[in-house]
Amino acid sequence: MAATDLLFTEGPQGCSMEAVARRAGVSRVTVYARYPNRQALLNAVVQACVRDLSVGLDVTPADALGVRGALVEFGQRLVAFVHSDAYWRFVRAIAGLQGLSAHEAALLFQQGPRYALERLASWMAATTAAGLAQFPWPERDAEHLLGMWLGLDIVRALYGLPPQRDAEASRRHVAEAVDLFLQMHPVRPII
């Protein structure tokens, strides 16, 4: 999608309706027919990214291995995304509010990080309700797990520093964090 490319290469300031139309090779009227304004376009891009990252959270797992597997898959997708150059450029642009009002930044936060937290918390609540795990405070538990996965990586991005781990080390880090997290939140044994 042209808007996604622009948002993650040029930052929010480069993602105007005209720029999206130009990149997509369509008229501005075509873009406005689908998105009434720039904020709606930005929201759609961010929501689509979160949906793609959290696809494994659409189903309640069948057993303890499924709980671990879903968390590892989501964590690895999320960490790989956060370590991408495009995401780091985006975070720095957001941090400086370049081309965004405070209101627009708050809306993007709601559609991105907040929405990801809510998806994970909802999955945790469903998993608990199914008797597969014990996540007594799903939203707080989800925030703890996200913090375990991302650590200081977001802060490093703001300072323009690269991630400390390569792709393989990041995958191991996510799996280790999930295992530690599940020690605190026992899953139902396989029968």
Side-chain angles (χ1 to χ4, degrees):
M1 170 183 221
T4 302
D5 292 342
L6 281 170
L7 183 61
F8 287 102
T9 58
E10 306 294 324
Q13 71 278 7
C15 196
S16 68
M17 300 296 267
E18 184 174 320
V20 170
R22 199 171 35 252
R23 173 76 58 101
V26 299
S27 71
R28 284 190 324 172
V29 172
T30 301
V31 177
Y32 276 105
R34 187 154 187 200
Y35 305 101
N37 55 48
R38 178 176 176 249
Q39 189 61 53
L41 175 69
L42 292 173
N43 289 348
V45 169
V46 173
Q47 282 183 341
C49 288
V50 172
R51 276 192 309 274
D52 289 346
L53 292 172
S54 60
V55 69
L57 301 180
D58 292 335
V59 177
T60 301
D63 56 29
L65 286 176
V67 171
R68 182 186 184 280
L71 289 174
V72 168
E73 178 184 351
F74 175 56
Q76 289 177 344
R77 285 175 182 246
L78 179 66
V79 170
F81 175 68
V82 167
H83 286 182
S84 72
D85 290 338
Y87 180 77
W88 286 48
R89 285 191 300 274
F90 175 74
V91 167
R92 286 190 296 273
I94 292 293
L97 296 178
Q98 299 169 359
L100 285 179
S101 69
H103 177 71
E104 288 175 315
L107 289 173
L108 283 177
F109 174 81
Q110 287 293 337
Q111 300 303 316
R114 180 73 194 161
Y115 180 61
L117 175 71
E118 290 169 358
R119 293 246 353 205
L120 182 55
S122 176
W123 179 87
M124 287 179 169
T127 302
T128 299
L132 293 172
Q134 297 175 21
F135 303 118
W137 302 283
E139 187 165 318
R140 187 169 69 186
D141 296 333
E143 187 169 347
H144 289 163
L145 184 56
L146 290 170
M148 290 172 75
W149 285 335
L150 298 175
L152 288 175
D153 287 344
I154 300 299
V155 176
R156 283 186 192 94
L158 294 174
Y159 283 87
L161 301 172
Q164 286 190 321
R165 295 178 287 274
D166 63 18
E168 182 54 36
S170 292
R171 286 189 288 277
R172 281 193 314 273
H173 168 77
V174 166
E176 290 166 0
V178 168
D179 290 339
L180 287 170
F181 185 77
L182 291 177
Q183 287 177 19
M184 296 181 290
H185 302 282
V187 296
R188 183 185 75 198
I190 299 172
I191 298 174

